[in-house]
Amino acid sequence: MIELEGDIQPVGELFQSPDVNAAREFFRHKSRAMVDKRMGVREAVERFIHDGDYIATGGFGSVRFSTAVLHEIVRTRKHNLGFSGHSTTHDFQILAAGRVIDRCDIAYVVGLEIRGLSPNGRRFMESGAVRTTEWSNAGLGWRYKAAAMGVPFLPARVMLGSDTLRYSAGRLIEDPFTGQKLLAVPALYPDIGIIHVHQADIYGNAQIDGTSIVDLDLAKASKRLIVTTERMVETEEFRRDPRKTSIPYWQVDAVCHVPFGSYPGNMPFEYFSDERHLAEWVEVEQDEARFAAFLDKFIYGVDNFETYLALAAGEQRLAELRSLEILKRS
């Protein structure tokens, strides 16, 4: 038997309903037509991300997240967004910079892996402006899994005996076969999923090279899905080898062609992370006035992601990062 002191039920707030029937009804009416879904990042954000929505990003840590969409969310000053902080580093750092979220499911935020902590992210979270509920990385990932499976929750052993359990929004249940205590982690249906991929066609068929982390479940769980892609390819590429289709077209609502779309993060097999620029973020965040000027320069003061790339990196630096990733040092 799993012993839990006092069998205390978790006290965290549940930000998204795990109602499977409501989700099924939504997805039942979602179009599966093979139509051209190409659009710019600005149009995708305007059409599909609204104040108050709950958003979730793909990738892991500083790897394969959609910087372009996150910048646009901040630049257009969205507000009162919910956020799924599953293994998020620079993506959370960007959203915290714009103070666009007011509630967050937390597995990993503020931390920047070996780069330390985000000073601004820490200030933002300690300000009390964000309501929080805690999960483990696995627990939050399995919430996507439950939604992808079409079940209201999954039974798990994660977080048992920890304070993470206490501040989660799971529920303690009893295994009907053994009588043991388990944690029911509720399905999570984000209003918007945002995933960066290696290649996609005009309809939204998308391919992720390398590990997909929880993105396949996130794509299935998200009510709306924005895909940004390094390359646009013909649909025949997917028909030639359907096994490489990570995300099928009917799950996708917008396809945005954004080369270097994960910069300054890493895109496996494409380019390495720009550690100089990421370090600059952390350094300037220590002073609020300098950080405000930094954001004006790189996000608010530019029209689009392409201008940001030219300003923050430039062609030579991007070429260096591509060489670093494929181990062809010049």
Side-chain angles (χ1 to χ4, degrees), residues 44-59:
V45 170
E46 286 179 351
R47 287 181 59 179
F48 297 113
I49 302 180
H50 308 103
D51 294 340
D53 280 347
Y54 185 104
I55 66 174
T57 54

Side-chain angles (χ1 to χ4, degrees), residues 107-171:
Y108 188 88
V109 299
V110 179
L112 302 171
E113 299 170 315
I114 63 171
R115 305 171 191 91
L117 299 177
S118 163
N120 177 71
R122 186 170 187 170
R123 286 193 299 268
F124 182 44
M125 296 303 286
E126 290 178 347
S127 72
V130 183
R131 293 155 27 221
T132 62
T133 299
E134 297 185 15
W135 308 89
S136 68
N137 289 77
L140 192 47
W142 289 336
R143 294 189 63 194
Y144 297 144
K145 174 71 74 177
M149 293 173 63
V151 296
F153 67 89
L154 283 178
R157 296 166 63 96
V158 294
M159 301 186 287
L160 295 177
S162 72
D163 274 351
T164 304
L165 167 69
R166 183 186 300 272
Y167 297 107
S168 77
R171 292 293 180 266

Side-chain angles (χ1 to χ4, degrees), residues 157-273:
R157 296 166 63 96
V158 294
M159 301 186 287
L160 295 177
S162 72
D163 274 351
T164 304
L165 167 69
R166 183 186 300 272
Y167 297 107
S168 77
R171 292 293 180 266
L172 294 176
I173 60 174
E174 185 176 284
D175 181 340
F177 301 103
T178 67
Q180 294 183 346
K181 293 290 193 307
L182 295 171
L183 181 68
V185 292
L188 175 55
Y189 295 98
D191 294 310
I192 305 293
I194 305 163
I195 299 176
H196 190 61
V197 304
H198 290 78
Q199 59 185 33
D201 69 6
I202 65 173
Y203 306 115
N205 293 302
Q207 177 179 327
I208 296 171
D209 294 334
T211 181
S212 59
I213 315 297
V214 297
D215 289 13
L216 307 191
D217 289 331
L218 172 59
K220 294 175 184 176
S222 298
K223 294 179 179 178
R224 300 292 184 191
L225 182 62
I226 297 173
V227 164
T228 57
T229 180
E230 291 290 322
R231 291 179 298 278
M232 296 296 304
V233 298
E234 297 295 328
T235 303
E236 185 58 33
E237 286 289 317
F238 293 95
R239 290 176 174 156
R240 187 176 295 116
D241 189 353
R243 295 171 300 175
K244 293 183 179 179
T245 306
S246 307
I247 301 171
Y249 74 91
W250 65 80
Q251 294 171 359
V252 177
D253 295 273
V255 180
C256 309
H257 183 205
V258 189
F260 287 96
S262 188
Y263 176 90
N266 167 239
M267 187 65 176
F269 313 111
E270 298 288 337
Y271 45 87
F272 198 65
S273 52

Side-chain angles (χ1 to χ4, degrees), residues 1-34:
M1 297 288 291
I2 299 174
E3 297 295 334
L4 294 174
E5 183 180 352
D7 285 354
I8 298 174
Q9 288 289 344
V11 298
E13 183 179 358
L14 190 61
F15 298 126
Q16 290 290 97
S17 171
D19 188 330
V20 172
N21 290 333
R24 286 171 65 90
E25 185 67 11
F26 178 89
F27 289 122
R28 188 169 71 86
H29 289 94
K30 186 171 179 176
S31 173
R32 294 195 172 204
M34 288 189 73

